[in-house]
Amino acid sequence: MSDTPANGPALAVVVKGWPRLSETFIAQELAGLQDMGHDFAIWSLRHPTDTKTHPLHDKITAPVHYLPEYLRSETARVLAAYRAARRLPGFAEARRIWRADFARDRTRNRVRRFGQACVLATELPAGTRAIYSHFLHTPSTVARYAAVMLGIPWAFSAHAKDIWTSPDWELREKMAGDATGATFGATCTAFGADTLRDLATDPDRIDLIYHGLDLSRFPAPPERPKRAPGDPIHLVSVGRLVEKKGFDRLIAALSMLPDTLDWRWTHIGGGELKDQMRDMAAKGEITDRITWRGPLTQPEVIEAMRASDLFVLPSRIAINGDRDGLPNVLMEAASQKLPILSTAISAIPEFIESGTQGLLASDRPQDLADAIAWMAENPDDARAMADAALDRLRSDFGAEPGLRRLSERLTALTGA
């Protein structure tokens, strides 16, 4: 852990883990805020597990501090923090909130969050004026408890799983219009914003801020020659091997493709279902057509996209309600004029109108297989949709407007 200075940045940014390859949207945002002159420190609930980092992570110069990932692993630190936290002006109120939360969620995680909040509240430098958390579930719980202890404002950025898998009572209380609720909340999809505004005491506190894409960080799209007759079509997907990404449905779909279509599929990303997905491919007798590349840096992802013919992301709703928001990889594919096949889940239609900027199928394997075959057989239409996706990205999904709005919000939050 970094040494905590006596006086540090006015803003503390709480994240679940830092750095993470799968969360380029957070790195892009923080790099953008840094370029706009914001001074902040990063406080992470977990240590990194990825062995690689993106160039964006290396660009961010903010100090990084790690809270105790498990309370038992740093008992002395946690106990010292608890004793010190008891002297803070808002400790009694924070403990009351935690007890009410724990009565409805009697888990070790809830205990861990309060312990992490005690550490955060007592180790933040004296100059900290506000806390801003990424994700509305665990990081915002820690941020809220700590902010109440200290009597300072806090805010959040919500994304996908944190909205769809959190109980309504918890979302409502974090967005309550009192001193314990968030001063503002940002979320990256209109679909998510509508959901949160319906639950918030003051809907005006919820901003729709698309992450967008900073195209200055990406190479110009390549010229894509037409595939020669007999050449295989190269498919690529980027995403963790988890239920909501729908790769089980895609593997089933690949097994259904007609024998007349020669194809190759490259998957990029980690995830707990890796072994299960590979077993499915083996049973479908398609292993020799698949390349599993694991987690890659953003430049490596872009290189793979430039060498491919079709981007496929078969997102779906998981059993527990989890789902994608608007995955940045769709915009990254669009930046390289790579035709896109996805599904009409959550906020994906906010970027892609089916038949205009890409093709949106259902997540049924046969429908996915039919859509892949259609894209392969109609390359001119696929190319036109890729052109339209890049035009939409440039006109409506640049990073700068969202960063400007977030910068205004954070400046007001810290009073800096």
Side-chain angles (χ1 to χ4, degrees):
M1 182 188 135
S2 308
D3 292 333
T4 305
N7 289 290
L11 181 67
V13 178
V14 177
V15 296
K16 193 167 186 179
W18 184 266
R20 283 185 166 180
L21 285 175
S22 62
E23 295 174 358
T24 53
F25 55 91
I26 296 179
Q28 174 182 268
E29 177 190 288
L30 296 184
L33 291 172
Q34 178 178 279
D35 289 345
M36 298 174 82
H38 286 270
D39 190 20
F40 54 86
I42 298 170
W43 293 78
S44 178
L45 307 189
R46 293 182 179 177
H47 289 267
T49 55
D50 294 320
T51 58
K52 299 181 178 183
T53 60
H54 294 305
L56 270 176
H57 292 125
D58 300 331
K59 181 180 178 182
I60 296 167
T61 59
V64 181
H65 311 276
Y66 291 95
L67 296 170
E69 190 163 345
Y70 297 99
L71 304 186
R72 65 180 180 274
S73 64
E74 297 187 61
T75 305
R77 183 184 176 196
V78 174
L79 288 176
Y82 179 75
R83 295 188 188 103
R86 292 178 66 182
R87 299 192 291 271
L88 294 174
F91 179 80
E93 176 65 4
R95 183 174 57 185
R96 182 196 66 77
I97 294 169
W98 173 76
R99 284 177 171 171
D101 291 347
F102 185 69
R104 293 168 289 190
D105 177 29
R106 303 184 72 86
T107 63
R108 291 181 180 179
N109 284 339
R110 187 67 63 172
V111 175
R112 183 187 311 154
R113 293 168 200 173
F114 191 75
Q116 289 173 321
C118 288
V119 174
L120 177 62
T122 56
E123 293 188 4
L124 282 174
T128 304
R129 299 180 185 178
I131 303 174
Y132 170 59
S133 58
H134 261 285
F135 291 104
L136 190 46
H137 51 3
T138 308
S140 286
T141 298
V142 174
R144 183 189 184 207
Y145 294 157
V148 172
M149 290 180 197
L150 292 166
I152 62 175
W154 72 282
F156 66 82
S157 183
H159 302 289
K161 180 178 181 179
D162 49 331
I163 299 174
W164 312 121
T165 64
S166 295
D168 284 355
W169 63 262
E170 186 163 14
L171 296 177
R172 286 194 184 95
E173 291 177 14
K174 285 176 177 173
M175 297 184 293
D178 58 20
T180 74
T183 300
F184 78 86
T187 190
C188 52
T189 68
F191 189 62
D194 289 344
T195 299
L196 294 180
R197 286 168 181 159
D198 285 344
L199 294 170
T201 301
D202 179 3
D204 289 339
R205 292 192 182 194
I206 306 301
D207 278 355
L208 167 60
I209 298 179
Y210 286 115
H211 297 303
L213 214 60
D214 179 0
L215 287 173
S216 68
R217 297 188 295 101
F218 293 85
E223 292 298 324
R224 294 186 177 276
K226 292 185 178 181
R227 282 185 296 115
D231 283 353
I233 181 171
H234 290 273
L235 319 176
V236 65
S237 299
V238 183
R240 291 175 299 124
L241 292 166
V242 294
E243 184 185 3
K244 71 177 179 180
K245 296 296 182 180
F247 291 123
D248 57 334
R249 307 290 173 86
L250 177 56
I251 292 169
L254 294 174
S255 300
M256 297 176 178
L257 290 174
D259 294 338
T260 53
L261 179 61
D262 192 6
W263 59 270
R264 304 290 185 274
W265 178 51
T266 297
H267 175 268
I268 297 170
E272 67 256 22
L273 299 181
K274 177 179 66 175
D275 292 340
Q276 180 180 325
M277 296 298 102
R278 295 191 183 198
D279 287 345
M280 280 190 65
K283 290 175 182 176
E285 299 182 346
I286 56 173
T287 298
D288 59 341
R289 294 175 181 244
I290 298 175
T291 301
W292 305 94
R293 296 196 61 185
L296 298 180
T297 64
Q298 193 171 60
E300 291 171 326
V301 169
I302 297 303
E303 181 182 4
M305 288 180 171
R306 292 169 70 86
S308 300
D309 302 306
L310 177 62
F311 183 81
V312 187
L313 184 66
S315 301
R316 65 187 181 96
I317 300 175
I319 291 175
N320 67 352
D322 190 13
R323 67 200 76 178
D324 275 329
L326 176 53
N328 263 34
V329 289
L330 294 175
M331 289 180 276
E332 291 172 5
S335 79
Q336 302 306 303
K337 281 192 181 180
L338 179 59
I340 295 168
L341 168 61
S342 191
T343 53
I345 292 296
S346 191
I348 292 173
E350 293 175 36
F351 178 55
I352 297 173
E353 180 183 351
S354 188
T356 303
Q357 290 87 17
L359 204 59
L360 301 183
S362 82
D363 65 350
R364 291 179 60 248
Q366 187 61 63
D367 289 347
L368 289 170
D370 291 345
I372 292 169
W374 188 91
M375 297 286 267
E377 294 164 2
N378 295 274
D380 290 341
D381 291 320
R383 188 176 295 108
M385 287 188 274
D387 290 343
L390 179 57
D391 289 343
R392 179 148 172 72
L393 175 62
R394 287 171 171 164
S395 64
D396 299 330
F397 285 87
E400 186 179 355
L403 279 171
R404 282 201 308 268
R405 176 57 177 160
L406 184 59
S407 176
E408 292 169 358
R409 282 287 210 176
L410 292 175
T411 298
L413 187 73
T414 60

